[in-house]
Amino acid sequence: MAQAWKCAGLRWAADGPVLTWVGGRRSALVRGKRVAFGVAEGGVRTCVGARGHACPVRAGVSGRSTGARCEECARLDRAHSVAADTMADDPRPYRVYLAWFGPGLVKVGITAYERGSARLLEQGAVCFSWLGCGPLMAARRTEELLRAALGVPDRIPYAHKRAVRAVLPESEAERAAEIAGLHARAVALGGWPEALTPEPFGGVDHAGVFGIAGAERGPAAVAEVAELVAGGAIGGELVAAAGPDLHLATERGVVVLDTRLMTGWELVSAEGEPCAVPLRELKRAAGVQDGLF
């Protein structure tokens, strides 16, 4: 019987994306490399637990869930997160940022200073700029100020991010223009917390790192994996990677695999198997010709 591995998610390192596995194994993902795996026949997807602890009942979870957690573990995981506002006494400094994912898709967010730009890579931000740095609650109040005064959301669905990747502007200046304007408007607002130190605009572009713009751009994706299933398999050449998404060139065209769908399954190696998982047509931004799928 083939050895099975459990995926612990995709992480972004200084030299690119890395798939991590339960037990500590790591697989560097390099564009041009073949990525292929299958789900064992009769396999069942189980909850990954919360905060480093296994699910006490090994609950089954839906193949379409990107969190791979049962209801109770999801509640416990969120209860101890910065996003849930339950860590007001966190002494670490935090940064506020503006992130751009494509035309009209800008969000405001916060991340621990020590993490650098890792959070932006994990979200698939095509470009971003820091806004300021300070204590957690000052950063959180600034985030709320921008949401209320400028109408900038703090979340953008991944489906929207994927829809615009094929229509990104060619130049870094064009990609940074939207957040440059918002940064100027944000700095001009009154009511910033005194504890937050503003930072000047400095656009950081990830399009080349992801392989989704300019000379690095591969073929446009035509579909995305809806879920993994027992006995299913997928394999293809890695042509781009953005956030948790891998763009794989398969015999059915370029397919986007959200690696969060891999967690909770026992996966086995696969080589020449065709793309045998449920797919759905990738939604496109207005003005983009549909692929033949």
Side-chain angles (χ1 to χ4, degrees):
M1 181 177 178
Q3 183 175 5
W5 300 86
K6 279 203 167 186
C7 182
L10 185 146
R11 301 287 182 270
W12 279 87
D15 53 352
V18 176
L19 274 178
T20 62
W21 305 89
V22 173
R25 181 186 176 197
R26 295 163 63 88
S27 302
L29 296 170
V30 180
R31 286 202 296 276
K33 177 180 179 179
R34 181 170 175 79
V35 176
F37 64 87
V39 180
E41 289 284 356
V44 176
R45 193 183 191 198
T46 56
C47 174
V48 297
R51 317 305 295 179
H53 300 285
C55 176
V57 296
R58 289 182 52 82
V61 292
S62 166
R64 293 177 179 251
S65 167
T66 54
R69 290 186 174 92
C70 66
E71 185 175 338
E72 181 62 17
C73 286
R75 183 188 67 78
L76 289 172
D77 189 69
R78 183 165 178 80
H80 296 281
S81 70
V82 171
D85 283 336
T86 58
M87 300 173 62
D89 58 347
D90 188 337
R92 297 176 298 169
Y94 278 78
R95 273 175 149 173
V96 187
Y97 61 81
L98 285 171
W100 184 87
F101 300 89
L105 298 181
V106 179
K107 65 158 282 187
V108 61
I110 69 172
T111 185
Y113 184 92
E114 65 194 35
R115 297 208 67 210
S117 61
R119 179 68 179 141
L120 286 306
L121 290 163
E122 290 167 359
Q123 293 183 68
V126 178
C127 66
F128 78 94
S129 175
W130 303 119
L131 268 169
C133 182
L136 172 59
M137 295 316 292
R140 181 65 79 201
R141 286 194 297 272
T142 305
E143 180 187 41
E144 293 296 329
L145 171 66
L146 267 62
R147 288 177 59 194
L150 302 182
V152 183
D154 63 349
R155 287 184 185 154
I156 293 177
Y158 275 97
H160 296 175
K161 299 176 187 179
R162 294 174 190 131
V164 299
R165 285 184 191 150
V167 292
L168 296 177
E170 284 297 321
S171 72
E172 290 190 18
E174 290 176 288
R175 294 193 290 270
E178 201 168 347
I179 55 170
L182 276 170
H183 188 284
R185 291 173 61 195
V187 171
L189 289 173
W192 279 51
E194 292 184 5
L196 194 96
T197 303
E199 298 189 43
F201 178 77
V204 178
D205 195 276
H206 290 151
V209 175
F210 293 156
I212 56 175
E216 300 294 327
R217 180 183 291 177
V222 297
E224 60 185 333
V225 175
E227 63 180 317
L228 301 184
V229 293
I234 184 170
E237 177 188 337
L238 180 65
V239 295
D245 294 343
L246 303 182
H247 292 221
L248 303 176
T250 75
E251 77 284 353
R252 298 174 70 176
V254 174
V255 172
V256 178
L257 168 64
D258 185 337
T259 53
R260 296 175 299 174
L261 296 174
M262 296 170 63
T263 56
W265 288 104
E266 290 199 340
L267 304 175
V268 297
S269 61
E271 294 299 332
E273 290 85 348
C275 182
V277 292
L279 302 180
R280 56 176 169 248
E281 187 175 359
L282 191 68
K283 294 181 180 179
R284 296 291 186 84
V288 180
Q289 183 179 356
D290 290 336
L292 299 176
F293 173 74

